[in-house]
Amino acid sequence: MKKNSRFIQYISFGVLVTLSVTSCSSLKKNNYEYHVEVPDVYTLQDSLSSGDSTNIALIHWKDFFNDEQLISLIDQGIQHNFDMKKALTNIEIAQLKADQAKLNWLPNVDATIGNLAYQYRSENFYSNPSANWHKEKGIDPPKNMYNYTNQHMSGISVSWEIDVWGKFKDQKQMALNDYLKSEEAKKAIQTQLIAQIAEGYYNLILLNAQLDVAQTNFELSKNTLDIIQLQYEAGQITALAKQQTKSQMLTAKALIPSLKQQISLQENQLNFLVGSFPKSIDISSKKLENYFYQDALTEGVPLQLLTNRPDIHSAELDLLSANANVGVTQKQRYPSLKIDLGGGVNSMLPENWFNIPGSLFGSVVGGITAPVFNKKKLKTNYEVALKERDKTEITLQQNVHKAISEVTDALIIIKTIDEQLDIAVEQVTNSSLAVRQSNLLFNSGFATYLEVINAQRSALENELNLNRIRKNKLVARIQLYKTLGGGWQ
């Protein structure tokens, strides 16, 4: 009883010493604040509609797109895309680790069943042979490798490190940040996926539109070649005129198989993104000129990127984890208070387990362990953690600058693309008129075949360019939505 009382006194004294050290070290709390620099507004802030309007990044993706077929493809991709599935699995893994980190303050409990230990000694051992068999009369015990003790132990051991400094709290915070990062990674993947599906969908519409232009131009060139052939047979023009007209026709004809190939490849890519096997995607009713977006939207202010963009939020969580790691490495330099309890039976035969107290054993060990000399490892770990935190803060600021640059680029494209579109429409209108007039003049003998060929070539190039700009306008809108952090809501 006195021994137990003395042990409790030792432990109490150790706790008091530890708590006193804690109070003395309170001046070394891990107080850390960081500041992220952002401009007040973007360059070209007036690129979208001004006034009371909705931040584009806050719009749900189903409301952002007004094409039911595209919405269906995106919804299928979110459910079945392989990267999305892996992201969800990573979230589950991080959740398990975060739940486990909450239990770090509990003691470790281990059960030992049938632990056998045999110890052998020689004549130089400090005591005499003590095995039972040497007591038999007339038999001298051996001097070397005699059986000194046998142990047959079964019991339970409890080890508990008391979190005096809050080290486990910091570790729990790091695990929680990892879980939140997995959530942000899922958001980033979803934003990227939606942008890829939408861009692929619009590109598929573009390729079909280009195919229609190529086929129309091919038929027009073919009709022109038929007229040239008749004039050649009548001796009105040379073979050179027929060859050049045929070359123009073949130029348009060569686009057809190339565009069909690109359409099939784009369909395969879209099917892969949405998690399905290759199949045809019918968009024959979709026309680029039918897509008009006159939404009252705004890009908001740069400060909103800190909450809207998953990659920035993830970098911020990295910084918080790095700061928590500074706390962990700092507290590893302080004394640790640990209590070990053990108890059970020391008997080989189960019938003797209940021979109380004859087969019982128990142990109580408690102590305060303080690092004294570890080759400067603990101090180095702490200093490295500080540098890692500084590096993570730089990465966060770098991500913010990158995001602002991406938004600015998207705004520049959006601001200039309407002007390009107006010019392209005017070019197509003018070239279409030139084709009609050149055909009329050629049939009336007031224009040469070269004028007809040049008019058709110009019309083909202008129509293909107009379709590309129309698609680029749709893609620019998607890119702005993505760079502002939209698509995961």
Side-chain angles (χ1 to χ4, degrees):
M1 191 70 180
K2 291 182 179 179
K3 292 182 179 179
N4 292 336
S5 177
R6 184 174 299 175
F7 175 78
I8 294 174
Q9 290 176 359
Y10 289 154
I11 292 297
S12 301
F13 175 75
V15 172
L16 291 175
V17 172
T18 304
L19 292 177
S20 64
V21 175
T22 304
S23 62
C24 294
S25 63
S26 60
L27 298 177
K28 298 183 179 180
K29 288 184 178 180
N30 185 23
N31 296 324
Y32 173 71
E33 295 181 359
Y34 62 93
H35 174 68
V36 179
E37 297 181 0
V38 293
D40 295 330
V41 295
Y42 298 109
T43 306
L44 307 174
Q45 183 75 33
D46 60 344
S47 59
L48 295 179
S49 59
S50 58
D52 294 333
S53 52
T54 304
N55 185 345
I56 188 174
L58 303 180
I59 298 176
H60 192 278
W61 63 266
K62 287 188 177 180
D63 298 324
F64 183 76
F65 301 100
N66 60 1
D67 188 317
E68 292 298 329
Q69 187 175 9
L70 174 57
I71 291 174
S72 177
L73 287 172
I74 293 175
D75 191 51
Q76 182 181 349
I78 292 175
Q79 296 181 40
H80 302 291
N81 178 265
F82 296 107
D83 289 332
M84 286 295 295
K85 288 183 177 180
K86 289 191 288 186
L88 292 174
T89 303
N90 288 335
I91 290 176
E92 294 174 357
I93 294 173
Q95 177 68 68
L96 292 173
K97 292 182 178 180
D99 291 342
Q100 186 277 324
K102 297 177 182 178
L103 306 178
N104 281 343
W105 64 274
L106 294 176
N108 294 323
V109 180
D110 297 314
T112 302
I113 300 177
N115 182 27
L116 307 181
Y118 294 88
Q119 298 184 19
Y120 295 88
R121 298 291 184 263
S122 63
E123 63 178 338
N124 293 327
F125 188 56
Y126 64 83
S127 65
N128 294 323
S130 60
N132 291 330
W133 60 265
H134 83 276
K135 295 179 181 180
E136 297 180 11
K137 294 181 179 181
I139 300 178
D140 295 329
K143 294 183 178 181
N144 293 312
M145 300 310 294
Y146 57 86
N147 191 337
Y148 180 66
T149 59
N150 296 334
Q151 298 285 342
H152 307 88
M153 303 175 65
S154 297
I156 295 177
S157 60
V158 179
S159 178
W160 185 25
E161 181 179 352
I162 301 176
D163 190 20
V164 178
W165 315 106
K167 178 174 61 179
F168 296 156
K169 182 180 179 181
D170 289 336
Q171 292 174 344
K172 182 177 73 172
Q173 185 62 48
M174 293 174 65
L176 176 60
N177 290 340
D178 288 340
Y179 166 72
L180 295 176
K181 274 187 58 182
S182 65
E183 288 279 3
E184 295 302 321
K186 181 254 184 184
K187 293 177 183 178
I189 291 173
Q190 179 171 319
T191 297
Q192 178 69 19
L193 175 65
I194 289 176
Q196 288 178 336
I197 293 176
E199 290 181 26
Y201 181 78
Y202 290 138
N203 191 53
L204 187 59
I205 297 177
L206 167 67
L207 293 173
N208 279 272
Q210 304 294 57
L211 180 60
D212 290 339
V213 171
Q215 290 174 334
T216 300
N217 195 275
F218 168 67
E219 294 297 332
L220 180 62
S221 300
K222 186 177 179 182
N223 293 335
T224 302
L225 180 61
D226 292 340
I227 296 174
I228 295 293
Q229 180 67 29
L230 292 175
Q231 292 183 347
Y232 171 74
E233 293 174 356
Q236 298 177 358
I237 57 176
T238 64
L240 178 61
K242 185 179 71 170
Q243 292 170 353
Q244 288 182 320
T245 305
K246 187 175 182 180
S247 296
Q248 172 61 25
M249 182 199 70
L250 292 175
T251 299
K253 186 177 182 180
L255 288 174
I256 296 175
S258 175
L259 289 168
K260 288 182 177 179
Q261 179 190 65
Q262 294 179 57
I263 288 172
S264 297
L265 294 176
Q266 183 63 75
E267 287 176 339
N268 289 346
Q269 183 183 15
L270 268 176
N271 284 313
F272 176 76
L273 288 174
V274 300
S276 64
F277 291 109
K279 62 182 178 181
S280 177
I281 300 176
D282 183 17
I283 56 169
S284 56
S285 62
K286 308 296 181 181
K287 303 296 180 183
L288 286 172
E289 58 268 23
N290 294 335
Y291 286 88
F292 296 100
Y293 293 103
Q294 302 296 337
D295 308 305
L297 302 175
T298 179
E299 65 272 21
V301 296
L303 187 61
Q304 292 174 323
L305 289 177
L306 300 182
T307 55
N308 290 343
R309 291 230 348 181
D311 57 334
I312 294 181
H313 198 196
S314 179
E316 189 175 15
L317 290 170
D318 279 336
L319 180 55
L320 294 177
S321 292
N323 183 56
N325 188 47
V326 169
V328 171
T329 55
Q330 181 183 19
K331 292 161 188 175
Q332 284 176 343
R333 304 167 64 189
Y334 299 159
S336 60
L337 175 60
K338 191 174 182 180
I339 300 175
D340 294 325
L341 305 175
V345 293
N346 188 354
S347 177
M348 181 177 183
L349 300 177
E351 57 265 24
N352 293 330
W353 289 358
F354 303 98
N355 183 15
I356 299 174
S359 61
L360 292 180
F361 76 91
S363 66
V364 179
V365 179
I368 299 175
T369 303
V372 177
F373 179 71
N374 287 283
K375 304 176 183 179
K376 204 180 177 182
K377 289 182 180 179
L378 297 179
K379 183 179 180 181
T380 300
N381 290 340
Y382 173 65
E383 292 175 347
V384 169
L386 289 173
K387 297 299 181 182
E388 290 290 343
R389 185 179 67 183
D390 294 340
K391 187 171 68 174
T392 308
E393 184 175 353
I394 295 173
T395 301
L396 172 60
Q397 189 67 57
Q398 180 184 19
N399 286 356
V400 172
H401 276 71
K402 176 183 176 184
I404 294 174
S405 178
E406 290 176 350
V407 172
T408 304
D409 291 345
L411 291 175
I412 292 173
I413 294 174
I414 285 182
K415 184 173 184 178
T416 59
I417 203 164
D418 282 335
E419 185 178 352
Q420 298 176 37
L421 186 59
D422 292 339
I423 296 173
V425 170
E426 187 176 356
Q427 286 177 323
V428 169
T429 302
N430 183 68
S431 60
S432 297
L433 180 61
V435 169
R436 290 195 299 270
Q437 289 179 344
S438 64
N439 284 329
L440 291 174
L441 292 173
F442 179 75
N443 292 333
S444 302
F446 292 100
T448 66
Y449 73 92
L450 288 177
E451 292 174 311
V452 175
I453 293 173
N454 289 333
Q456 292 177 353
R457 182 184 297 112
S458 178
L460 175 62
E461 293 174 353
N462 289 335
E463 289 185 47
L464 294 175
N465 183 56
L466 174 60
N467 287 334
R468 282 193 292 266
I469 294 177
R470 282 171 172 164
K471 193 266 290 192
N472 290 342
K473 181 177 181 179
L474 297 174
V475 171
R477 185 174 183 268
I478 297 170
Q479 285 300 315
L480 180 61
Y481 184 55
K482 171 188 170 185
T483 56
L484 290 171
W488 56 264
Q489 291 89 344

